[in-house]
Structures are given as C-alpha cells and as structure tokens.
Amino acid sequence: MSQSSTIDEVCQWNEEMCRTMLKTALPELISIYQCSESGSKLLRSLKILIDKFLPHIRLSEIEQTFASQVLPKVMTLFDELANEVTQHTGGLSSQNPGLQAALRNTIQFQIQILEILVNLVDHMCKFEEALALKNIHSLSLAVIHILKNTFCHCKESETLYSGRLDLVADILQSLFKEAYSLQKQFMELLDRIVLESATSTDEDIESMVTVVHSVLEICSVISKMDHALHANTWKFLIKISVKHRALLEDKLPHDRLVAGLCEDILYSFNSCLHFAEQMIQPAVEGNTNSVDCKLFQKTLKLCRFFTNTLVHYVKEFTDFLSTSCRLLHHLYLQMYCKFPPSINAPILPDGSYDQIACIVPVALDALVSQLMSYRPFMEIVLQDNLDFCSELAFPQCLLLLNIMDKLPSQSEVVQSLWCSGNQISEEKTRLPLLHSLFLNFKRCHAELSLPAQLPGVMSKGQAQQSVSLYEYVCTHLCSFITSISASYFPELECSLLDAVLSPYVLTALLASDTWCFLARYGSADLCAHHVSLIADLVKSCCGDCFQLSHLSLLLWRLLFLMAAEHQVIFVKRFSPKEASNLLLWRQVSIKALAPELQRPITSDIIRTAIDQCRRWQSGKCSLGELEHVNVALAALLAVCHTQGEGLTSELQLAITETLCQIWTFLTVEQVLSQHCVQQTMALVLSLVASLIRVVGAALIAQVVLFLSFLLPLNPPDHVRLAALEFLGSLGTTVISPDVQGVVLPKLPCLFGLLLADQSWLILQHALQGFTRFAEETCHEEVVPRSLVSGNTKSKVVSFLNKPSAKRARKEPHEEQYESALETAENVFKTLQNLLKQEPTPHWVTVRLQALQETIIALNSSKQEPMKI
C-alpha cells in the first residue's frame, strides 16, 4: 500500500479504530511523516497524527513516542519557510503578483504550523495528571524556537519589506495573532509544571532555567510590539520564578531579569512624559489631543505594572541581586532626574505629574526600603568614585536623604554600616552616609543656583510651603540628628568637620548650620567640647585661607550657644592676655560672652594687641614679623566692630595712639609691593573708620594725603575697599579747621577716582560709601565737586533711585548743632589727654572753671529741647 493510500485509509478510521491500531499504525505514520518532502504532505500527516492518535497516547509516553520524533522536523520546516520568505521580500511589488501570491502562501504555511502547535499545547493542558517538564521537553523547545522567530520577523517587518508592507500586512497580522495565541497557551501549560525537590532531577531544574532564559528572550523581542502580551509574559516570568524559587533561586538569570524590567520601566516612564508633553500642544486640523491622553493613561498603567513587578521581584530575590544593584541605583537616579523637583523635568499639563507621582515615587521608595539592609546596594550608593554625569547629582542627593530618613528604623548593624563607611584597603571604599551627602550636595550647582523648589515640612495649621534645596537638606539633616543614637556622633562630627573645611562655601555653610543645631540639641558639655575643638583648629590655621574663614564663622556662631560657666573655662584656656590667642579672639564677637565677661575681655584684648604692636615697633620692624601686627590689628578691629560697653574712651584713645605710630612706618611703595603691608594698610584704614570720632585731625589728614598718592596707582581690591570704608566714615565727623585745607580738596578726587573704577565690586562699594558720606557730612561742598564727570553723576543718581528706602537727611540747623558739638567733644578729649601729663600749668584750672560756667550758661539759656 502506498503512503498516500495509507493516509487516506487512516483518515476513515473512527476513534475506537485509532485506539486499537495505535501501536502498529503510529510508527508507520511517523515514518511516513519523517519521509515527507512536501510541506503540504508533511502538515497533512502531522494533523492526522495529532487529531487521530495523540488523544490515545498516555502522558508519560507522549514525549518518547510522539513529540521527540515529530517536532524537530516541524522546527526545520518552519525555518525553511522563514528563509524562503526572507529571500523573496526583496522582489515583492504590486507588479509581481506571482511572487506576492507565493510569499503569502508561504506565510500561510507558517500560520498552519502555529495552529497545529496551539492544538498540541491545548491537548497537553487537558491532562489532569501532574505535569513534569520532561513530559513536554521537545514541545517546549519547538514552541519557544518558533515563537521567537515569528516575533522577530514581525518586529523587523517594516525594515524587511522596505515600504511594501501593505501588500502582506493582513497576513502578517494573522501570523502575529496566531503566535500570540500560542504564546498565551504555552505559558498556561508551563504554569502547570510541577517541580518538587523530592522528585525533580538536576536535568529538570536546568530545563526549567533554560525555559526562563528563552521566555525572557521572547519578552525582549515583543517589548515594543504588544503591551498586553509583553506584560503577561513578564507576569509569567515572575510567577514561575517565585513558584519554583526553592529550586531555581541560585540559577535564575537575575541580572537579565532585573535589567529587562529596568529597561521597560524607563521606556514606559519616558513614554508617559512624552505623551503628557504632547497633550500641551494645540489641536491640529480639528484633531484633539484625546489620543495622546489615552496613550498617556495606557502607558501609565504599564509603568505601574513594571514598577510593581520589579518591587515584587526584588523583595523575593534580594539576596541574589548583588550584581544588579548598580542597575537599580541607576534606575532611581534616571527617573528622579526627570521628575519634579528636578530642573530637568519637562513641563507637563496640570495633574499629569500628580498621576505619575502615585506610581514612581511610591515604587522607588519601596525599592529603597527593601535594599537598605543589603550591603552590595549600600556599597554602590556610597562608593567614593561615582562616575555619573552632573545632572544625576541631584537625584543622588535625594536618594541619600531618603535613606537618611529611613535609617533610624533600621537595625543597629545597618545603621552602623551606613554611618561609618569603611577604610579597609582590600574592599571598595564606602563613604559614610553624611560624607557622601555633602559630597553630592556641592555637585548640585544648578539646583542650588536657580534654585530648585522642594516640599517643606508640614506645620500644624499651615499649608506646606516650597523650600530651596539648601533648606530641604538642612531640615532633613537636623531631623536625622535628633533620631540617631549618640554613639554615631563621632562619625557625624567627622563628616561635619570635613564639610566645614570644604572649599565650597554653601557646603561649609550647610555643615555649620547643622553643627549649630547639633550644639543646641546636644548637651552643654558637647557644645563646650565642640567650641574648644574648633578654637584649636582656628589657632592651627596658617595665614588667611578658606579653612580659617569657615572655621571662624562656625566658632563665632557656636560661642553664642555656649553656657556661661563653660565660657568662663573657655576664656581661661584661651586667655586674651596671651598674644598667641589673638588669632582666635579676632574671629569671635565679644557680645557672644556673658555680660560680666565682656568688659574685662575687651580690655585684655586691646592691651594685649597694643603691646604686640609696640613690641614690633621697638624691635627691628621687619616685614617678616608684620604678620603678628596684622593679627593684633585684626583683633582690635573685631573689638571696635562689637561696640560693646567695654570699649571705653580711654581704650579708644590708646588704639588711636597705636594707629598713629604704625602709620609712620607705611610707605606707598611697600603697600603696592608687599602683601603683608597691604593687609596692615587695610586694617589701619578700617580701624580709623571705626574710631573716626576720636581720631585726631592730624591722623585724618595724613591718611587722606597718603590715599591721594596711593589710589591712582591702583592698589589691590581689599585696600581700595578699606579706603572706601574710611572715606565714607568721614561724613560722620567734622573735619577740623586746622586740616580742612588739606583734606577737603582731596576728597572729590578720591571719590571721583573710585566711582570711575572698572571693577563692579569697587564701584558698588564706592556708590555706597559716597552715598553715606553725602547723606551725613556737614561739608556739603565736597559732594557736587565729586560729581564733575557726567558719567559718574549718572551712576550716583541711578544708584540713589534704586534703594527702596533712603536714610533721611538731617535738617540744616540740626547739622550745624551736630558739627559744633562734635568739634567741642574732640577738643575736650584732646584736653583730657593733656591733663594726664605732668606738670599742668596753674592757669589751666582757672580756664577750666570758666569753661564749666559757660556750659552751665548754655544749658540754662536754651529756649527749647533739640529736635530729634
């Protein structure tokens, strides 16, 4: 009997006949199937085998007697058909109907193969017996192979058919639908697989791992093709991984699974942003943006699914994700980089971000919570050499703050790992959490400059306000301090000190603010310890440097927070009577001390500083030792700026005498060439400005004359700024008639020179200094003479128009009173100094009595009180 006749005869058999003839007919039909050369005959034979005989084969025998002998040829045939399609796509055109028909016929053959496999899988799903992977070994290989090839062909169809896709679009759609059905049915079959530790062999386990790998490959192929199929495939992968976790957890491709989910999350997230942006665009040609709105909602649901899936997977397999932590970390940064309050977040319609916020931050927060206790994640987040771009510094900062907020609820071991860092050479360097936070904070240049707005702390009865990144970080830092154990304060102090010593001003200021909170929150003893520590560091600084500036500001603030009894101890340890401590006392405010300490300390600082200046004058007056004089002058200036009760007239006069003596050593040439002399010049000018009411007329004349030679030679900025401070202060005093001829003609030239300066900083201070002088001086003739230049005059007028509030000028008669009284006060102070000298002429007493009577007569003759 021929093969064709045999097949025809079998087709006539009923179900009972097929069951009876199974053992003899099945081998013969399989032989006929394997020998078939024609694709149509092969498919006919295969259908007969499945329809007539497969229902009568026991589950335990299907793989051996049927699938392993039939399905390999199915894969071969499908591949041949696929190659045939690929070879003929180049010649496809509407003018070649024969090729078009042949191509469609070939694809139809592929569809038939898929239909046969669907029926086969469906049959396997009907068994009520426990299904082992070995029962469907050949079937799974064939289905996965054919599905992958089919989906790849459909995905590449637009490129493959090169603009002729419309000729085969309908049949390709049918091919995809059949593959879709096969994929769905096959996943249901795999879900029925029983894999138990007691009965499963290593081969079974490896086969299941291979299936996971293969389905994951299919998942990556269909990722941009069909959202529902893509999501269902991921759902299956996670479900089967968790279901057989006990046997598969150390063999699953965790890295690939996490990488795939991260990729899909980012793609769906970015798609959400894109569709939301499109909704802002106006409607074109009558079309509304409802399509974009629907796409946004659909993609948003997909994003929610992927993020929740990742969170679930990480929860189940955290211990096996050591090499995936970098991907998870990068996912967090990438998403927050494009999400408010990041400055890189796109502008979206109202409400869009609120909808996304219900998904992204919630999922990422849950992810961080799960990974916080996982050391590999910790090492990735805190590693010293994070090599990401600058725009990721802000989301990294937010991540660290998130971790910092969660840390108090973690175990002591976890807290220690995050807070302490490590210094072991063979391990990767892990920075302490706060150190890493300060490091990334300084990288947020744009967010600090614009600034970025973040949600502030919710207050009772008040709406939540937006705050700057600086305030946001500072608030969370202070909150963190209140919630951690005091045992972590040493690490906290190290991180704060390192940040204070940073060259970045905002970083140092943030650390100082946090440190001051720590001083207030902690014990008085802790504050005293910190003040002593900072004071020692201030004394150890060499010369002027940014470290000294930052430490000095911190010391200045901490001293205000110090308990009175500890201030007494501080004063004893860093006695102002010792010249070596002047460097320290020039940095602090006397007003920070208890009232009973201010007067004696003021006196001690002034006397110690004056003695230091005198030692230099009585010595060789070398430039190498001038730095000690500058420290002394700086200490005197700090005391003068405080304007405390301890700064008596006697002490002020002692300072002015010292200034007069130092002034004689200054030369224009040295000021222009020697940095230390420039410092001395600037300090002396500032001191004269502070004590302008008690400085003698002779010294004022000397300074003005000196500046008339110096300023045209363009000295350094800090010298010119000090000169402006001095010139502005001249408005508060009456120039003695004895020196008016020298001083007043020089002032217009000096002001005019500085008001024409090209430096914006000098110009700003010049405008402020000149305005102060003009508003307060009684020598009003100087003002118009300083504005001879039209350009200078316009600058001054423009500046005066900008301030929202100006100091009111005194009435003319009030200025006359003030001028006369200041002159009298200066004369009496000079007379007071003379009276201290011996011997005093006998007629002085008589004249003093006469002056006293004159003052009494003035008081009794005034008609009304002076207006204020």
Side-chain angles (χ1 to χ4, degrees):
M1 186 182 293
S2 66
Q3 293 180 355
S4 177
S5 299
T6 302
I7 292 175
D8 291 338
E9 180 183 349
V10 170
C11 288
Q12 304 302 318
W13 291 357
N14 58 24
E15 184 178 347
E16 183 61 30
M17 187 67 173
C18 290
R19 181 185 295 108
T20 304
M21 300 298 294
L22 176 65
K23 292 186 177 181
T24 57
L26 182 61
E28 183 179 356
L29 287 173
I30 289 177
S31 177
I32 294 173
Y33 165 80
Q34 291 176 339
C35 295
S36 299
E37 298 295 336
S38 168
S40 58
K41 291 182 179 180
L42 188 145
L43 290 181
R44 185 187 180 199
S45 302
L46 183 57
K47 287 181 180 179
I48 293 172
L49 285 168
I50 293 176
D51 294 341
K52 295 289 186 178
F53 294 98
L54 184 60
H56 306 297
I57 304 175
R58 288 182 295 183
L59 174 62
S60 60
E61 297 175 352
I62 287 179
E63 172 64 22
Q64 185 67 30
T65 62
F66 177 79
S68 63
Q69 299 185 51
V70 171
L71 294 179
K73 189 150 188 174
V74 173
M75 289 191 288
T76 302
L77 175 60
F78 193 89
D79 289 345
E80 290 173 353
L81 294 172
N83 290 333
E84 186 177 339
V85 171
T86 303
Q87 290 172 4
H88 290 92
T89 53
L92 181 64
S93 70
S94 57
Q95 285 76 33
N96 193 344
L99 179 61
Q100 181 180 344
L103 192 62
R104 294 176 66 89
N105 188 50
T106 303
I107 296 175
Q108 187 61 49
F109 264 117
Q110 291 181 304
I111 293 174
Q112 292 178 25
I113 292 175
L114 290 171
E115 290 174 346
I116 292 172
L117 289 175
V118 168
N119 292 334
L120 181 54
V121 172
D122 183 61
H123 173 77
M124 300 301 294
C125 288
K126 293 178 180 178
F127 283 104
E128 296 180 359
E129 305 167 54
L131 194 64
L133 196 57
K134 62 184 178 181
N135 300 136
I136 60 169
H137 177 72
S138 297
L139 177 60
S140 62
L141 291 178
V143 170
I144 289 171
H145 176 81
I146 290 174
L147 281 176
K148 184 177 179 182
N149 287 352
T150 303
F151 287 134
C152 284
H153 182 83
C154 293
K155 187 173 186 178
E156 298 167 359
S157 58
E158 189 170 346
T159 303
L160 190 62
Y161 291 94
S162 303
R164 299 175 295 275
L165 184 60
D166 59 307
L167 300 177
V168 292
D170 58 334
I171 198 166
L172 283 178
Q173 183 69 20
S174 299
L175 179 69
F176 179 81
K177 286 183 177 179
E178 203 60 45
Y180 189 114
S181 299
L182 177 59
Q183 165 96 345
K184 183 178 179 181
Q185 196 75 8
F186 181 62
M187 288 191 297
E188 291 179 8
L189 176 63
L190 290 175
D191 191 33
R192 294 191 57 215
I193 296 295
V194 176
L195 201 65
E196 297 179 348
S197 57
T199 59
S200 299
T201 64
D202 291 342
E203 185 178 355
D204 293 331
I205 296 173
E206 290 300 327
S207 296
M208 181 58 78
V209 172
T210 302
V211 168
V212 173
H213 274 277
S214 301
V215 175
L216 182 57
E217 290 177 359
I218 293 175
C219 193
S220 64
V221 173
I222 62 177
S223 61
K224 310 296 188 300
M225 297 177 65
D226 187 278
H227 293 326
L229 180 61
H230 187 209
N232 287 331
T233 306
W234 268 119
K235 190 180 298 183
F236 163 76
L237 281 169
I238 303 304
K239 182 179 180 181
I240 200 170
S241 298
V242 174
K243 181 179 179 180
H244 305 298
R245 172 182 174 178
L247 296 174
L248 303 182
E249 60 184 6
D250 58 344
K251 296 178 176 62
L252 287 171
H254 297 294
D255 287 355
R256 292 181 58 204
L257 284 163
V258 171
L261 281 171
C262 289
E263 181 181 349
D264 289 336
I265 289 171
L266 283 175
Y267 181 80
S268 59
F269 174 67
N270 289 325
S271 297
C272 285
L273 299 180
H274 170 74
F275 292 130
E277 282 185 288
Q278 295 303 310
M279 290 190 289
I280 299 178
Q281 305 299 325
V284 180
E285 298 180 358
N287 294 328
T288 65
N289 52 20
S290 60
V291 175
D292 290 319
C293 184
K294 291 179 181 178
L295 289 172
F296 170 75
Q297 294 296 337
K298 185 177 181 180
T299 311
L300 190 63
K301 291 179 181 178
L302 201 61
C303 186
R304 178 188 288 111
F305 167 76
F306 287 134
T307 52
N308 290 341
T309 301
L310 178 64
V311 171
H312 177 58
Y313 188 82
V314 170
K315 180 181 178 181
E316 296 292 337
F317 297 101
T318 301
D319 294 338
F320 301 91
L321 302 181
S322 59
T323 55
S324 298
C325 288
R326 186 177 296 276
L327 277 174
L328 296 170
H329 177 223
H330 194 68
L331 173 70
Y332 188 102
L333 302 184
Q334 286 287 341
M335 296 188 76
Y336 264 111
C337 181
K338 295 183 179 180
F339 194 80
S342 170
I343 60 175
N344 298 306
I347 299 175
L348 301 185
D350 293 340
S352 297
Y353 273 128
D354 293 336
Q355 296 182 60
I356 300 175
C358 296
I359 300 172
V360 174
V362 175
L364 293 179
D365 187 70
L367 200 63
V368 172
S369 297
Q370 291 172 5
L371 293 170
M372 273 194 65
S373 59
Y374 192 42
R375 186 161 183 166
F377 178 74
M378 188 186 308
E379 291 176 346
I380 288 294
V381 173
L382 297 179
Q383 68 182 32
D384 189 14
N385 55 343
L386 283 175
D387 53 351
F388 49 68
C389 57
S390 58
E391 68 179 16
L392 297 183
F394 176 66
Q396 171 72 0
C397 199
L398 295 182
L399 172 60
L400 294 171
L401 289 171
N402 189 358
I403 292 169
M404 192 171 68
D405 291 344
K406 297 177 182 297
L407 199 57
S409 62
Q410 298 292 316
S411 67
E412 188 173 341
V413 174
V414 174
Q415 290 186 33
S416 177
L417 287 172
W418 280 101
C419 291
S420 61
N422 70 347
Q423 301 295 331
I424 305 175
S425 58
E426 61 267 18
E427 295 184 10
K428 294 180 180 179
T429 303
R430 185 180 73 247
L431 299 174
L433 175 61
L434 290 183
H435 187 100
S436 183
L437 176 62
F438 284 117
L439 185 66
N440 283 278
F441 175 80
K442 74 179 182 183
R443 294 173 177 167
C444 300
H445 306 294
E447 289 79 9
L448 288 168
S449 301
L450 288 178
Q453 295 294 312
L454 293 95
V457 177
M458 189 77 74
S459 300
K460 293 182 178 179
Q462 296 182 356
Q464 188 176 30
Q465 301 292 326
S466 295
V467 298
S468 66
L469 174 61
Y470 183 95
E471 183 176 343
Y472 185 82
V473 175
C474 188
T475 302
H476 283 258
L477 273 170
C478 295
S479 176
F480 178 67
I481 289 174
T482 65
S483 60
I484 61 171
S485 169
S487 61
Y488 297 115
F489 278 14
E491 288 82 4
L492 170 63
E493 292 164 353
C494 289
S495 295
L496 290 176
L497 179 58
D498 189 73
V500 168
L501 297 176
S502 166
Y504 298 92
V505 176
L506 283 179
T507 304
L509 186 58
L510 175 64
S512 296
D513 286 342
T514 308
W515 205 321
C516 289
F517 176 83
L518 175 61
R520 297 187 66 178
Y521 174 77
S523 64
D525 290 337
L526 180 64
C527 180
H529 169 69
H530 287 168
V531 171
S532 297
L533 172 67
I534 301 301
D536 286 329
L537 290 172
V538 168
K539 289 186 63 176
S540 67
C541 289
C542 300
D544 289 329
C545 55
F546 67 83
Q547 292 94 338
L548 177 60
S549 299
H550 297 169
L551 288 169
S552 300
L553 176 60
L554 177 58
L555 178 63
W556 188 91
R557 297 174 64 183
L558 289 178
L559 201 59
F560 279 95
L561 305 175
M562 203 175 190
E565 60 271 22
H566 290 141
Q567 287 183 348
V568 174
I569 299 173
F570 177 82
V571 171
K572 290 180 179 178
R573 181 180 174 189
F574 301 99
S575 173
K577 295 180 180 180
E578 298 178 14
S580 61
N581 290 326
L582 288 178
L583 177 63
L584 180 66
W585 287 103
R586 74 168 185 172
Q587 311 294 348
V588 301
S589 171
I590 303 300
K591 290 185 177 180
L593 301 174
E596 62 272 15
L597 295 176
Q598 293 182 18
R599 183 178 293 273
I601 290 177
T602 298
S603 176
D604 290 342
I605 292 174
I606 292 176
R607 297 186 189 283
T608 304
I610 290 176
D611 289 343
Q612 180 137 313
C613 294
R614 287 174 178 171
R615 281 195 296 273
W616 179 79
Q617 295 168 10
S618 62
K620 298 180 180 179
C621 297
S622 64
L623 295 180
E625 297 179 357
L626 190 59
E627 184 59 35
H628 298 299
V629 176
N630 290 340
V631 171
L633 293 175
L636 291 174
L637 184 60
V639 172
C640 291
H641 281 168
T642 303
Q643 293 291 324
E645 295 180 359
L647 189 61
T648 62
S649 299
E650 180 184 358
L651 292 174
Q652 292 182 46
L653 289 173
I655 295 173
T656 59
E657 290 176 3
T658 302
L659 295 179
C660 291
Q661 295 167 3
I662 292 177
W663 191 261
T664 60
F665 293 95
L666 300 178
T667 66
V668 172
E669 292 77 11
Q670 286 182 331
V671 171
L672 293 173
S673 61
Q674 301 293 330
H675 176 72
C676 59
V677 181
Q678 294 166 5
Q679 291 293 107
T680 306
M681 177 72 181
L683 288 167
V684 170
L685 288 173
S686 296
L687 279 166
V688 173
S690 298
L691 301 173
I692 195 67
R693 293 179 182 273
V694 297
V695 170
L699 181 57
I700 292 176
Q702 291 176 19
V703 174
V704 171
L705 189 62
F706 191 97
L707 290 177
S708 67
F709 290 107
L710 177 65
L711 292 181
L713 300 177
N714 197 28
D717 286 357
H718 62 286
V719 174
R720 284 181 286 170
L721 291 173
L724 280 168
E725 184 182 0
F726 163 74
L727 292 173
S729 71
L730 291 177
T732 63
T733 189
V734 178
I735 307 299
S736 173
D738 296 340
V739 297
Q740 285 185 7
V742 176
V743 174
L744 297 184
K746 299 290 184 183
L747 295 183
C749 298
L750 295 176
F751 276 121
L753 185 66
L754 292 167
L755 288 169
D757 201 289
Q758 297 301 310
S759 167
W760 68 267
L761 179 63
I762 301 299
L763 176 59
Q764 180 67 21
H765 281 266
L767 291 168
Q768 293 174 353
F770 179 74
T771 300
R772 178 190 176 194
F773 175 85
E775 289 179 345
E776 297 181 343
T777 186
C778 61
H779 303 290
E780 296 184 349
E781 69 277 9
V782 175
V783 176
R785 289 166 56 192
S786 302
L787 303 177
V788 176
S789 169
N791 185 33
T792 301
K793 185 175 183 179
S794 64
K795 290 178 183 177
V796 173
V797 172
S798 176
F799 174 78
L800 291 175
N801 289 334
K802 287 179 181 178
S804 58
K806 304 179 180 69
R807 290 188 296 270
R809 291 289 303 272
K810 295 183 177 69
E811 295 297 327
H813 72 278
E814 290 184 29
E815 292 182 352
Q816 293 175 2
Y817 274 114
E818 183 174 353
S819 175
L821 286 171
E822 284 186 355
T823 301
E825 287 171 353
N826 290 333
V827 170
F828 278 121
K829 288 176 181 177
T830 303
L831 188 59
Q832 186 180 23
N833 290 332
L834 291 173
L835 289 173
K836 295 177 182 178
Q837 302 176 7
E838 294 292 343
T840 302
H842 64 87
W843 50 267
V844 171
T845 303
V846 178
R847 296 286 295 274
L848 287 174
Q849 290 175 349
L851 285 173
Q852 184 176 8
E853 293 174 359
T854 302
I855 293 174
I856 294 173
L858 287 173
N859 281 325
S860 61
S861 64
K862 64 182 180 180
Q863 299 299 317
E864 59 181 1
M866 183 180 294
K867 296 179 181 180
I868 299 178

